[in-house]
Amino acid sequence: MYKRQTDIRALDLAAVDAGERAQKLRDAVLDQIARVLGFADKDQIDTERTFQDQGMDSLMAVDAKDRLETMIGVTLPATALFDHPDVARLVPHLLALACPEQATGDGLDELATEDLAQLLADELRISKEHESGADS
């Protein structure tokens, strides 16, 4: 039986200082992803790995998507967590959707330096994997 999501609080990101929005959203996203994955605490999430690598299947991804929709008040596509498979890619996407007036281009302006470094490292890794796969 499907359990109703009574543990989700809507985020009012507009009420949060612009400089703190990305971190507040990141913490809230980690909380929800941890719940979906069955982790006791958001600190158990390895932010350097994809959600799928940490055990998220398609049903869990839909549950997480529904939780995030409730949290930020924006409709997300069913593929949201596969299109943005880790924290570094999901948070800027959600921030841009939740606060479009703040987003400048790709929504990266509010990310912390270490998040930007992680995002770039992930993109380089994916690019290298793609290139090595093309050489096979």
Side-chain angles (χ1 to χ4, degrees):
M1 175 178 246
Y2 184 73
K3 183 179 175 189
R4 206 154 159 74
Q5 302 169 7
T6 57
D7 58 340
I8 304 170
R9 288 184 295 166
L11 280 181
D12 184 7
L13 291 173
V16 177
D17 180 57
E20 297 174 11
R21 284 182 189 151
Q23 187 60 46
K24 183 164 182 74
L25 179 60
R26 184 178 191 276
D27 288 344
V29 166
L30 287 172
D31 281 337
Q32 294 306 318
I33 298 297
R35 289 176 190 268
V36 169
L37 290 172
F39 295 162
D41 187 80
K42 69 181 179 187
D43 294 332
Q44 291 179 277
I45 295 176
D46 183 347
T47 58
E48 296 183 18
R49 294 176 55 209
T50 66
F51 303 129
Q52 189 174 13
D53 287 345
Q54 296 180 73
M56 184 174 288
D57 61 24
S58 58
L59 291 175
M60 290 172 155
V62 171
D63 184 21
K65 174 202 75 86
D66 291 345
R67 288 170 167 275
L68 296 173
E69 283 179 341
T70 300
M71 191 175 70
I72 65 170
V74 175
T75 302
L76 301 171
T79 60
L81 274 84
F82 294 104
D83 296 339
H84 308 281
D86 56 36
V87 175
R89 287 179 266 192
L90 182 60
V91 171
H93 175 70
L94 296 177
L95 186 61
L97 293 174
C99 301
E101 71 285 352
Q102 179 180 334
T104 56
D106 54 14
L108 296 176
D109 56 328
E110 288 300 316
L111 284 179
T113 304
E114 62 269 9
D115 291 332
L116 285 172
Q118 183 60 51
L119 181 60
L120 290 171
D122 289 343
E123 291 300 322
L124 281 171
R125 178 184 48 81
I126 290 167
S127 177
K128 288 178 182 179
E129 287 172 0
H130 179 69
E131 287 175 10
S132 65
D135 294 339
S136 315

